[in-house]
Each structure stands twice: as structure tokens, then as C-alpha cells.
Amino acid sequence: MADSIKLLTDEQRAILNEFREKVGDCQLVDSSDAFLIKWLVARNYKVDQAEKMLRQSLEWRRLNRVNEILQTWTPPQVIEKYYSIGQTGYDKFGCPLWISAQGPIDIRGIMQSTTKKELMRFMIYIMEKNALNMRQNPERCLSQSICVVADMEHLSMWQMAYRPVSQIRNEMVSIYEANYPENLRRIFIINAPKLFTVIYNMMRPFMNQVTIDKICVYGFDKDEWQSALLKDIEADQLPAHYGGTMTDPATGDPKCPHKLNMGGEVPHSYYVSNSKPVPKEGMQSLEIGSGSRKNLEFEIGTTNSVLRWEFMTEGGDIGFRIYHVAGSKQDIVEVVPVSRIESHLVMEEGEIICDYIGKYVVEFENSFSFFKSKKVYYNVELAVK
């Protein structure tokens, strides 16, 4: 990225300066040229489009408290222990090298032990951890992008057919594309079984062509993918299990558990099925039939109001969103985009600062369920910050 900045044409440099001026009022975690260029490249140096993309991302960060995630959030123990991912070093281009052994991950066990929201938050946590590393080590991270090795050995259809997995996968691709542009230099997918082609084709509609062009897929020919890895990665930055020379300093383990874990079956002691939430005293309730939805309306009189909620369900997960009804045309402005919440497993809690005066609508919807009704216990309140 540093070299690409030096190679900017006079026209591109002028566009960068214009873009910097346009977003000068934004509170950016990183205001470097390298960071700003990512947004311009993602929108083909069209300043207005890049500005819109960046501002939308900043709003997403605000709503989800992403700037605070490394200081205020701790990943659930079951994810840290059984979700395989870790940084082992850097590639030859100065990109942090991350490896994930996808095949041995007991994704069903993890999903039985935590929520989709927590797992997605972990993915964001990892991306923010990587971004902080790049900001703090510019002399080592020569490029503001990453290199990933995804090992698909032992991946099974039983794992990938699990519906919550496909939902998380597609949502995370969308989040990545919208909020971490030009963050990927290369991803090596190795030991990919035939079923991966099906999965990959399902993911492609959520990805832009620039990202697709950075993905290299290899089957089970070890010589082929090891040669490809070592072309981009020095041997001492790569675990011996993947063709490098790195081993665990204490045990000599070629899989380098001091850098990353290799997944494994989640013990049933982590499962939350026996500790489902119970309604709190004073909660109101709604019965939401199959294929239907119900709304709660709140009139906001001042922009420093805070809308807080907590809810749980009986009968399964529920769709949840919040929107603002604006103007005489009753236009809908999404505030909290619709998402299916696993509130039958864990009490859902949250809050937003109301930026608009007028009507806010909290919506519970069960349109995805054709046969099963859901009961929602909730408490929603307004407060002045």
C-alpha cells in the first residue's frame, strides 16, 4: 500500500486531497492516506460514492459500537477455544498472515453454546484486532491488507448445511465488503472438497469481482498448495503443518497451537440449551402468529432520547428491526436493520440514540415461519441521555 501511494498519479493525488477534505468532519480511527485510498479504490476513485460508503460505514460502527469493541468486549470462552483462527506472522508483502482450520470447527457445537450475534461480533473483533496491529506496526505491516489461509480439510456437508452457518457467512461477507474495503491481498483456500464449489457459488453473489479475483482455491494436492503458499510466505512465518518451518517452541508441534487452535468438538457443558432465558418481572408479552408481525410505536420528542430494549422469545428465534417514519410521505428510514435474533436462547438487550424527532417503530416479525407462532416477552423504554 505504501508503494501504491507513491505511485499515485497527479490526478489521483488531487482526488485523494478532495476526498480528505470532504470527510474532514468525520471522526476516523485512521486518517492515513493508505486508509482513505481503500475507500476510493473500492469506488473507482469516485469521490461522492466513496464518501457515501465511508459515512455509511461510520454509522454502522456507531450503531454497533465497533470503535470500542477491543476495550469493552471479551469473546465468549467457547469461541476463543474452539473457533480456529490465529495470526502466525506476515507474508512477503508485509501483510499479516491469518490461518483458520475450517474443517475441524464444531460449528454446531459453537452455535449451541453461544448466539449468532456473538459469533459475528467475534469476526468483527478479529478484523478490528488486525486493523489495530497494522496501525501500531507500520514498519512491519507494509501493506494495509491481510493474507489468509483457510484450510478446508475434514469439512463436511453436515457442517455446512447448518442454516445458521450460511446466514452468518453471507452476512459477514456483506459486512466485510461494506466496512473493510481493500482489506484482503490474498486468500488461499486449501484442501477444498468438491462441496466447497457449491458453497463458494452461494457466496459469490455477496462478493464483488475485486474480492473474487483475490481468492485462490486448491484441492488436496499438498505439493501444489504448499508451493503456492511458500511463493508468497517465508517458511519461518508458516507452521510446519502447512509447509513452513515454524513449530511450537515448547512442544515442537508443527500445527503451532501457540499461534492458533485447530478447532475440535465442543463439550456439551458449554451448551446453553439447559439455561434458556426466563421472563423478567414486569415484562409485557406479544403472541406473534406464523407469517405475521407486530409493531410497537414510540413518539420521540427530542434528539437526545435513548431507546432501550430487552426481550426473549418462546418457540424459537424472531425477526427484529427498528425504523423511523419520516416526513409527510411516511418514508421509512432503517435505524436497526432487520435481523433474526436467537432470543429463545439468550435475552436480547440493546439501545440506540434517537437521531430523529418523530415516530420510531420497533418491529417483531415471524414472516419466515410458516407453521410456528412465537411468544415475545419484552420491555422497551425511552430515556433522556
Side-chain angles (χ1 to χ4, degrees):
M1 182 62 74
D3 290 340
S4 66
I5 293 172
K6 294 177 184 177
L7 295 174
L8 288 178
T9 66
D10 290 341
E11 181 183 4
Q12 288 172 333
R13 176 62 67 177
I15 291 172
L16 174 60
N17 291 335
E18 179 188 353
F19 182 49
R20 180 182 291 280
E21 192 171 317
K22 283 220 171 197
V23 299
D25 62 320
C26 296
Q27 294 183 342
L28 302 175
V29 175
D30 185 351
S31 59
S32 66
D33 285 353
F35 175 79
L36 294 176
I37 285 172
K38 288 185 175 187
W39 301 88
L40 287 170
V41 170
R43 290 297 179 263
N44 297 314
Y45 279 87
K46 292 176 177 156
V47 174
D48 289 344
Q49 293 182 21
E51 179 189 4
K52 181 180 178 181
M53 182 185 184
L54 176 55
R55 289 186 184 277
Q56 287 176 337
S57 178
L58 292 174
E59 179 65 7
W60 169 79
R61 295 178 72 89
R62 185 185 72 82
L63 288 173
N64 293 279
R65 298 182 177 179
V66 175
N67 289 349
E68 310 159 21
I69 192 171
L70 296 180
Q71 293 77 38
T72 62
W73 186 76
T74 301
Q77 186 184 69
V78 67
I79 298 179
E80 284 201 310
K81 289 184 68 173
Y82 295 98
Y83 191 95
S84 173
I85 192 165
Q87 184 187 345
T88 65
Y90 299 84
D91 70 8
K92 294 179 181 180
F93 303 88
C95 303
L97 171 64
W98 289 80
I99 298 178
S100 176
Q102 291 283 304
I105 296 176
D106 177 11
I107 195 64
R108 287 176 178 257
I110 290 175
M111 295 302 295
Q112 289 289 331
S113 307
T114 186
T115 64
K116 182 180 79 171
K117 181 179 179 179
E118 289 287 272
L119 186 53
M120 290 183 66
R121 198 151 181 77
F122 175 70
M123 304 296 185
I124 296 168
Y125 176 89
I126 290 295
M127 287 188 276
E128 290 298 308
K129 189 175 180 180
N130 179 74
L132 178 63
N133 173 38
M134 291 193 290
R135 289 196 301 272
Q136 292 181 338
N137 300 284
E139 72 291 339
R140 189 67 181 87
C141 302
L142 303 178
S143 171
Q144 286 222 346
S145 53
I146 63 174
C147 180
V148 178
V149 177
D151 183 4
M152 300 295 172
E153 188 174 19
H154 304 306
L155 188 72
S156 69
M157 181 60 77
W158 184 84
Q159 291 166 283
M160 299 313 297
Y162 191 40
R163 187 174 180 184
V165 174
S166 62
Q167 293 173 339
I168 291 173
R169 183 178 61 235
N170 295 341
E171 287 183 43
M172 281 309 305
V173 169
S174 298
I175 287 173
Y176 172 83
E177 295 280 0
N179 301 287
Y180 300 92
E182 298 302 307
N183 197 50
L184 179 69
R185 189 194 72 80
R186 182 75 70 223
I187 177 168
F188 296 95
I189 296 172
I190 63 173
N191 295 319
K194 290 182 180 179
L195 70 89
F196 179 79
T197 304
V198 177
I199 300 165
Y200 185 48
N201 288 336
M202 291 169 61
M203 294 172 62
R204 285 175 69 100
F206 298 90
M207 304 162 63
N208 64 44
Q209 189 59 47
V210 175
T211 301
I212 292 171
D213 292 341
K214 296 175 181 179
I215 299 174
C216 300
V217 182
Y218 297 92
F220 290 94
D221 188 332
K222 192 172 183 179
D223 291 337
E224 182 185 23
W225 57 253
Q226 281 191 356
S227 175
L229 294 182
L230 291 170
K231 184 177 179 181
D232 278 19
I233 306 163
E234 296 289 359
D236 64 353
Q237 302 292 298
L238 190 65
H241 180 70
Y242 293 109
T245 59
M246 182 186 294
T247 58
D248 188 290
T251 65
D253 191 327
K255 294 182 179 179
C256 299
H258 67 299
K259 294 285 187 178
L260 73 151
N261 69 68
M262 297 295 286
E265 185 176 352
V266 176
H268 284 204
S269 58
Y270 281 101
Y271 284 23
V272 298
S273 57
N274 295 325
S275 57
K276 293 180 181 180
V278 295
K280 294 181 180 180
E281 185 177 352
M283 278 187 156
Q284 301 180 67
S285 64
L286 287 171
E287 191 79 29
I288 305 179
S290 58
S292 65
R293 67 190 69 205
K294 290 192 177 179
N295 296 335
L296 307 174
E297 297 184 358
F298 297 86
E299 199 66 32
I300 307 298
T302 174
T303 55
N304 63 349
S305 297
V306 177
L307 185 62
R308 297 191 177 100
W309 65 88
E310 57 180 350
F311 65 87
M312 57 152 290
T313 51
E314 291 179 351
D317 60 356
I318 198 75
F320 176 77
R321 73 164 174 158
I322 301 176
Y323 60 89
H324 172 249
V325 181
S328 58
K329 294 183 179 179
Q330 300 289 284
D331 294 326
I332 290 178
V333 178
E334 293 282 356
V335 179
V336 178
V338 64
S339 180
R340 286 176 64 173
I341 306 296
E342 295 165 322
S343 48
H344 59 305
L345 299 178
V346 177
M347 184 76 71
E348 178 71 13
E349 301 179 34
E351 68 175 36
I352 56 167
I353 298 173
C354 300
D355 294 328
Y356 309 100
I357 292 175
K359 185 166 67 176
Y360 277 67
V361 179
V362 176
E363 181 178 272
F364 296 101
E365 61 103 356
N366 194 28
S367 60
F368 52 85
S369 179
F370 294 104
F371 305 106
K372 201 171 185 181
S373 63
K374 311 287 173 63
K375 190 166 187 176
V376 180
Y377 293 91
Y378 70 92
N379 181 30
V380 183
E381 63 179 10
L382 280 173
V384 177
K385 190 171 182 180

